[in-house]
Amino acid sequence: MPDEQMANGGGQRPARPLDTIDRAILNMLQADGRASIRSVAERVHVSRANAYARINRLIDDGVIRGFSARIDQERAGQGASAYVTLKIVQNSWRTVRAQLTELPGAAHIALVSGDFDVLLLVHTKDNQELRELVLTRIQSIPEVLSTRTLLVFEETDLGAEQS
């Protein structure tokens, strides 16, 4: 596999450079993933066919990884959110990641540098469910050496357009 393919995560070819129209399309779709091709085209001043082709290219290149809804976790019955930091056994990232992705309420997992190795965002019904998740499920993973839980008191979604 060529070095540039290895550097970007495997078998994917490198993404083509983005121009100002591509960036405008990405900003618009981040703010409203349900925007129609017509509204995207009008907003960035290109034809519908051009907007459609650009969005498909961004998807094919892996720049756009998917479309999803932004959820108010508390209104959806997930009243407790936390970032859990983990120290893990060296070279066990893939094994740990596979187990963390199976956890109920896991929303984001990142391999990071610094005082800990993994940053995990979780949403649970309440603090008791959060406690169970951390103390029983996460700490029982053999490659997890230690955890630290940071409760989220309030958050602001920067992906949403401010009204």
Side-chain angles (χ1 to χ4, degrees):
M1 185 178 303
D3 289 344
E4 53 188 14
Q5 284 183 344
M6 291 290 282
N8 74 15
Q12 263 186 332
R13 68 174 183 265
R16 291 166 266 205
L18 304 180
D19 63 17
T20 55
I21 293 172
D22 292 329
R23 292 193 188 285
I25 289 170
L26 291 174
N27 288 337
M28 187 173 178
L29 291 176
Q30 270 187 301
D32 180 7
R34 292 174 25 150
S36 69
I37 295 291
R38 185 175 137 230
S39 66
V40 170
E42 287 173 359
R43 186 106 173 255
V44 301
H45 310 293
V46 297
S47 69
R48 283 187 292 207
N50 188 323
Y52 182 80
R54 284 175 178 265
I55 291 169
N56 280 337
R57 184 190 45 134
L58 292 166
I59 292 168
D60 291 344
D61 284 355
V63 175
I64 295 175
R65 296 183 302 184
F67 296 88
S68 63
R70 288 188 302 270
I71 309 296
D72 181 318
Q73 296 297 329
E74 195 167 344
R75 292 180 66 93
Q78 302 292 92
S81 293
Y83 287 95
V84 182
T85 66
L86 294 82
K87 288 186 181 181
I88 61 174
V89 172
Q90 189 173 0
N91 296 320
S92 65
W93 163 241
R94 286 179 181 85
T95 302
V96 171
R97 179 182 57 196
Q99 293 174 75
L100 294 176
T101 59
E102 298 299 317
L103 293 175
H108 182 84
I109 303 167
L111 179 65
V112 297
S113 65
D115 293 337
F116 50 88
D117 304 305
V118 178
L119 183 63
L120 170 67
L121 173 61
V122 296
H123 304 290
T124 60
K125 181 179 74 175
D126 54 29
N127 284 343
Q128 183 174 343
E129 194 173 284
L130 175 62
R131 180 181 183 278
E132 183 71 19
L133 182 71
V134 173
L135 296 181
T136 304
R137 302 283 301 269
I138 296 172
Q139 290 184 356
S140 70
I141 298 171
E143 297 84 1
V144 172
L145 302 173
S146 66
T147 64
R148 179 168 285 168
T149 303
L150 307 166
L151 293 177
V152 174
F153 295 126
E154 185 177 314
E155 59 186 325
T156 301
D157 184 357
L158 299 178
E161 272 190 300
Q162 301 299 321
S163 302

